[in-house]
Amino acid sequence: MDLGDKNCWGNSKKDTWRTTLVLAYQSLGVVYGDLSISPIYVYKSTFAEDIHHSETNEEIFGVLSFVFWTLTLVPLFKYVFIVLRADDNGEGGTFALYSLICRHAKVSLLPNRQTADESLSTYKLKQPPKRENASKVKVLLEKHKTLHVALLILVLLGTCMVIGDGLLTPVISVFSAVSGLELSMSKAHHEYAVIPITCFILVCLFALQHYGSHRIGFVFAPIVLLWLLCISALGLYNIIHWDPHVYKALSPYYMYKFLKKTKKRGWMSLGGILLCITGSEAMFADLGHFSYAAIQIAFTFLVYPALILGYMGQAAYLSKHHQMAYDISYYVSVPESVRWPVLVIAILASVVGSQAIISGTFSIINQSQSLGCFPRVKVVHTSDKKHGQIYIPEINWMLMILCIAVTIGFRDTKHMGNASGLAVMAVMMVTTCLTSLVIVVCWNKPPILALCFLLFFGSIELLYFSASLVKFREGAWLPILLALILVTIMFVWHYATTKKYEYDLQNKVSLEWLLALGPSLGISRVPGIGLVFTDLTSGIPANFSRFVTNLPAFHRILVFVCVKFVPVPFIPPAERYLIGRVGPPSLRSYRCIVRYGYRDVHQDVDSFESELVNRIADFIRYDWSHPEPTTDPGNEDDGFQSTRSSGEYRLAVIGNSDFSTARAFESEESLQQISVSGSFQTVESVADIIDVEMNPPRRQVRFAVDDHNDSDEPEDMQMREELQDLLDGQQSGTAFILGHSHVKAKQGSSIWKRLAVNVGYNFLRRNCRGPDVVLKVPPVSLLEVGMVYVV
């Protein structure tokens, strides 16, 4: 999906109320499935062991008061009114907050950063006002490398807990929905029916993932809407029929009475109460598919009232039925005449909620992979029309196996709730910490405001988190163990990837050094185009210099391709390619930097190859028509000298617009500062804007040399000759030159580093998809160069 498609999801300022209401309706099936199903298991998890329902009703009214204020403070006040505003170009989630912070403060650990990236239209970097108080936190963050690592680990921890939630939510949702069968059969039959039925539904759910949710997504919103109307209607019925005065329990005074009577047992029961906000993070994570107004309207005017009515109705029923103190289930408050329809709707709603969190898990793993924090896995885009509809086979089957194992292993709502609750609160605490930084660093608000936000919401979440943590031996150990394993995998992968980049950076060679070896080695040029993939944005990678030294030949058209990721969600196609020369025009060597956002869809190899050649052809025309200004050697600055001495010429953004001007940038990639210049799309007047919008140029799919141009200008003749060489190279075929690396720790490294690099990273590298598989390079066109990295 391009930027224009993204706007159609509600990010355009021209959204009508009708569009917003349609988006609000559609968000029910994607965003609120998990949150809306929580009434099935909240009371059952809360009264599982720590507290018991008594005739005084202090326990049930106290729990209702806690549920009401928790739903009001966390999803409504924190997420709807504050966190949703911390979007990254309309995108939400843990990585959106991290990328937002990285763009406003130099805390990113991503390699090959360039100043030219800040000129992207989606970068939207707003310089903070020069106030001493506002810059102290930013200066502190930028100054200490330890804080950079700590921030990354915090983000990875939140990501791992989201993945853990993707494992536990389907289990507890489907299991709790199916548990309604216990009222229709004996206990002996119930024990042998619920587990197999739950496992069967989970297997079907994961087996259908490869079809994509877009095929049946149109029924998601009606199912959740029907479920919300169902629980609100049942809630109203129970309130009117059993206890019309239950609304008094919404007073905070009942929380005080509850804790005063139950003391430590009441605090421990908070681990069940917190399940009422399970799925709140989805409002922020799925922000990119909808709009802020749509999500706000759907929750404030439909989801929130329906949930409150549902919980109040259950409390009203239980307040008059004390004989069910040991059998507190949602279905006991459902009239017997409608119990079966409610059971069916509940199971369907649980499947919808599970589908949403599974899709979210795929999405966040794809984002982690894009930012170099997760091993390479296969990503299948299940829809050509809807952005973000992806399927990851390896993760899908691993989640399915783990879900079935958890269902069979735990077998009850109490253990599942303890595990799910801890994962949910951990994600929310990470979001609170990152939002506090956004308030100071990005929004330029006083630090005291961020501190108040952190202390207020952080104390609430810490209270619930501590109640979940004491249940470590009763199920809470699972998300902790899962997070420990995933954080270790992600950090080891990111650490070794960064060390490989630093090795390439320190061992890169200049073009002059390579050309100086030509006469002695007898380097020859072969027909075709050679695409050399590297992480470097300047210089010659060590693996290519080693290849040329041992096999002194390379293609007549040589392109050094760097596929890099920028901490933005999307990059417009017109700004994706940054192209320049490597050496003089006669060398026919180019550098192409292909930039992607962390939610961008990658091109397949065929379209990428043709697109790249077209962009290079556009660059050749631009370069000859806009000659680089010569500089007096006596006045030439050091940066320009270092650029030319390394064989690097200016870089230009080649897109679909003819409006471009040159700007000077500095490369932040290397240990030394290199000055380059770039040309970026700008418009000079309102008329230019109108022309661009009304008459967009057609995209080139092929290029041809204009033989009818009879100009005898030397520049025109050289340009046609260079374009003809490029066309001949494309017809001769393209070779993809990739590095096949082996990484090992240097002598004298600590045992932890040797374990991480020699064992951990190399095991992951051997068992994940290689770069040639990710790029879908045909084996006949692949040329791998072996390289040993000592880091």
Side-chain angles (χ1 to χ4, degrees):
M1 175 181 288
D2 59 19
L3 204 60
D5 293 327
K6 186 172 180 293
N7 286 341
C8 74
W9 284 96
N11 291 298
S12 174
K13 294 181 179 180
K14 298 181 180 180
D15 279 347
T16 62
W17 276 105
R18 182 180 178 182
T19 304
T20 302
L21 291 177
V22 170
L23 289 174
Y25 168 74
Q26 293 175 342
S27 69
L28 294 176
V30 177
V31 178
Y32 297 110
D34 187 13
L35 184 62
S36 64
I37 202 68
S38 58
I40 290 181
Y41 49 78
V42 169
Y43 283 131
K44 188 170 185 178
S45 299
T46 304
F47 289 92
E49 182 179 1
D50 300 309
I51 58 176
H52 300 284
H53 183 34
S54 65
E55 294 185 1
T56 62
N57 289 328
E58 290 182 350
E59 291 85 0
I60 188 64
F61 287 161
V63 171
L64 174 60
S65 184
F66 265 105
V67 168
F68 171 76
W69 287 105
T70 303
L71 277 171
T72 302
L73 292 176
V74 178
L76 186 62
F77 286 174
K78 176 190 168 183
Y79 279 94
V80 171
F81 293 124
I82 300 176
V83 175
L84 287 182
R85 297 181 181 275
D87 66 290
D88 181 17
N89 290 290
E91 295 296 322
T94 306
F95 276 110
L97 290 173
Y98 180 63
S99 67
L100 199 61
I101 295 171
C102 289
R103 297 208 301 274
H104 288 81
K106 296 180 180 180
V107 296
S108 175
L109 295 177
L110 294 177
N112 55 39
R113 299 189 304 273
Q114 292 177 290
T115 308
D117 299 335
E118 298 178 8
S119 294
L120 291 166
S121 61
T122 53
Y123 205 92
K124 288 186 179 179
L125 179 62
K126 296 180 180 179
Q127 294 294 337
K130 296 181 179 180
R131 293 188 304 168
E132 295 182 0
N133 292 336
S135 62
K136 287 182 180 178
V137 176
K138 178 180 176 181
V139 170
L140 183 65
L141 280 174
E142 294 178 342
K143 183 177 180 181
H144 300 284
K145 183 73 176 290
T146 307
L147 294 179
H148 301 178
V149 178
L151 183 61
L152 177 64
I153 293 177
L154 182 68
V155 172
L156 296 183
L157 180 62
T159 302
C160 295
M161 286 300 180
V162 171
I163 298 173
D165 194 21
L167 162 65
L168 296 167
T169 294
V171 173
I172 190 172
S173 298
V174 177
F175 181 84
S176 300
V178 176
S179 295
L181 295 172
E182 64 186 356
L183 301 179
S184 304
M185 59 180 65
S186 63
K187 186 176 182 180
H189 292 91
H190 168 257
E191 292 179 351
Y192 293 102
V194 173
I195 300 297
I197 293 176
T198 301
C199 292
F200 174 76
I201 293 175
L202 289 174
V203 169
C204 293
L205 178 63
F206 284 99
L208 295 175
Q209 289 299 313
H210 69 281
Y211 290 108
S213 60
H214 67 285
R215 298 180 186 273
I216 56 174
F218 65 93
V219 301
F220 284 180
I223 290 174
V224 176
L225 178 61
L226 183 61
W227 171 248
L228 289 172
L229 295 176
C230 178
I231 62 174
S232 58
L234 291 172
L236 278 173
Y237 169 80
N238 286 325
I239 292 171
I240 297 171
H241 190 266
W242 297 110
D243 189 359
H245 301 288
V246 72
Y247 67 89
K248 296 179 180 179
L250 302 182
S251 170
Y253 175 68
Y254 283 86
M255 291 192 291
Y256 168 74
K257 291 179 64 177
F258 171 78
L259 293 176
K260 183 179 179 180
K261 179 180 180 180
T262 57
K263 296 182 173 59
K264 182 181 178 181
R265 293 181 295 108
W267 165 66
M268 295 176 66
S269 69
L270 295 179
I273 296 174
L274 67 86
L275 294 176
C276 70
I277 53 177
T278 300
S280 299
E281 186 71 22
M283 287 192 290
F284 185 48
D286 293 322
L287 181 61
H289 297 290
F290 305 98
S291 67
Y292 169 73
I295 292 179
Q296 188 181 43
I297 290 172
F299 182 80
T300 306
F301 297 104
L302 179 59
V303 179
Y304 177 73
L307 290 175
I308 297 300
L309 287 175
Y311 286 114
M312 288 177 65
Q314 283 183 267
Y317 178 88
L318 294 173
S319 67
K320 302 299 181 181
H321 294 79
H322 303 100
Q323 72 276 14
M324 297 187 176
Y326 296 96
D327 188 22
I328 294 182
S329 169
Y330 175 78
Y331 294 100
V332 300
S333 64
V334 179
E336 190 172 353
S337 59
V338 295
R339 190 168 291 163
W340 278 103
V342 171
L343 175 64
V344 173
I345 298 173
I347 292 176
L348 292 176
S350 67
V351 170
V352 172
S354 302
Q355 171 63 47
I357 194 66
I358 292 170
S359 299
T361 303
F362 292 157
S363 178
I364 200 165
I365 288 177
N366 186 41
Q367 294 176 29
S368 305
Q369 178 182 247
S370 298
L371 296 177
C373 297
F374 200 87
R376 292 181 293 267
V377 291
K378 181 180 180 181
V379 178
V380 179
H381 296 274
T382 58
S383 175
D384 296 330
K385 298 180 180 179
K386 291 188 177 181
H387 176 81
Q389 296 287 344
I390 62 174
Y391 164 69
I392 304 179
E394 297 96 325
I395 302 300
N396 181 69
W397 301 122
M398 290 175 65
L399 282 177
M400 187 192 75
I401 294 171
L402 290 174
C403 281
I404 294 174
V406 170
T407 303
I408 297 174
F410 282 168
R411 305 180 71 88
D412 61 25
T413 308
K414 182 184 73 172
H415 289 80
M416 296 176 185
N418 293 337
S420 179
L422 188 138
V424 168
M425 292 317 302
V427 175
M428 290 187 175
M429 291 174 66
V430 170
T431 300
T432 300
C433 295
L434 294 177
T435 306
S436 301
L437 290 176
V438 169
I439 291 173
V440 178
V441 176
C442 306
W443 293 352
N444 307 312
K445 301 298 182 182
I448 188 66
L449 191 64
L451 184 62
C452 291
F453 174 86
L454 179 63
L455 291 178
F456 182 74
F457 291 106
S459 60
I460 296 173
E461 292 161 358
L462 190 61
L463 176 66
Y464 282 118
F465 183 78
S466 62
S468 294
L469 199 59
V470 297
K471 306 289 184 66
F472 180 83
R473 299 178 62 183
E474 300 173 7
W477 58 268
L478 179 60
I480 295 177
L481 177 63
L482 186 64
L484 182 63
I485 295 173
L486 288 174
V487 165
T488 302
I489 290 174
M490 296 171 75
F491 190 76
V492 165
W493 184 267
H494 181 270
Y495 174 80
T497 303
T498 304
K499 289 298 180 182
K500 280 179 57 182
Y501 172 75
E502 291 177 356
Y503 181 91
D504 277 336
L505 197 61
Q506 295 169 357
N507 291 274
K508 68 179 181 179
V509 297
S510 66
L511 187 66
E512 280 70 17
W513 176 86
L514 189 63
L515 294 177
L517 300 177
S520 59
L521 293 177
I523 292 179
S524 59
R525 307 292 291 269
V526 297
I529 299 176
L531 302 182
V532 183
F533 285 83
T534 174
D535 291 331
L536 299 178
T537 57
S538 66
I540 307 298
N543 57 0
F544 180 74
S545 63
R546 181 179 181 181
F547 164 74
V548 173
T549 303
N550 290 275
L551 184 63
F554 56 90
H555 296 81
R556 290 176 183 170
I557 305 296
L558 188 63
V559 185
F560 293 95
V561 181
C562 173
V563 180
K564 61 176 288 187
F565 295 91
V566 183
V568 295
F570 303 96
I571 293 180
E575 301 178 41
R576 190 176 308 283
Y577 290 86
L578 191 63
I579 301 178
R581 295 189 185 277
V582 180
S586 59
L587 192 61
R588 303 295 192 261
S589 295
Y590 311 92
R591 182 175 307 281
C592 178
I593 300 173
V594 188
R595 300 176 291 186
Y596 287 99
Y598 55 81
R599 288 185 66 94
D600 270 324
V601 177
H602 291 207
Q603 296 170 287
D604 61 81
V605 67
D606 294 329
S607 64
F608 172 76
E609 179 185 346
S610 59
E611 180 81 1
L612 179 62
V613 173
N614 287 330
R615 298 296 190 186
I616 294 175
D618 291 338
F619 168 77
I620 292 173
R621 297 187 184 96
Y622 170 82
D623 192 56
W624 283 105
S625 60
H626 298 78
E628 190 170 1
T630 57
T631 307
D632 185 4
N635 298 327
E636 190 173 27
D637 58 39
D638 296 336
F640 190 84
Q641 289 177 0
S642 64
T643 302
R644 283 306 180 91
S645 64
S646 63
E648 299 289 341
Y649 288 68
R650 63 178 175 179
L651 296 171
V653 172
I654 304 298
N656 294 329
S657 176
D658 295 331
F659 300 102
S660 58
T661 57
R663 298 178 185 173
F665 295 97
E666 291 183 353
S667 172
E668 299 178 17
E669 159 205 74
S670 59
L671 302 177
Q672 58 185 7
Q673 293 286 324
I674 299 177
S675 175
V676 298
S677 64
S679 60
F680 291 88
Q681 296 178 349
T682 61
V683 288
E684 305 297 338
S685 65
V686 177
D688 291 340
I689 298 177
I690 297 174
D691 290 340
V692 172
E693 292 180 350
M694 299 300 297
N695 299 300
R698 298 175 58 186
R699 179 185 296 272
Q700 284 185 301
V701 294
R702 296 185 60 186
F703 78 94
V705 182
D706 186 7
D707 294 330
H708 300 288
N709 190 350
D710 298 329
S711 174
D712 295 330
E713 293 292 333
E715 291 80 4
D716 292 339
M717 296 178 63
Q718 292 176 11
M719 180 185 71
R720 291 200 303 271
E721 182 181 352
E722 188 172 359
L723 287 173
Q724 185 63 50
D725 289 344
L726 181 63
L727 180 61
D728 293 342
Q730 185 182 27
Q731 293 173 349
S732 298
T734 303
F736 295 80
I737 304 174
L738 282 75
H740 186 82
S741 60
H742 177 77
V743 185
K744 66 178 183 179
K746 63 179 65 174
Q747 291 288 342
S749 299
S750 65
I751 186 173
W752 298 110
K753 183 176 181 179
R754 293 201 301 271
L755 283 174
V757 175
N758 296 348
V759 180
Y761 176 78
N762 284 309
F763 173 80
L764 294 172
R765 182 186 57 81
R766 288 193 298 269
N767 290 277
C768 74
R769 294 181 177 269
D772 57 319
V773 179
V774 174
L775 295 169
K776 299 179 181 178
V777 177
V780 69
S781 303
L782 176 64
L783 181 60
E784 290 187 306
V785 180
M787 189 75 182
V788 178
Y789 291 82
V790 182
V791 299

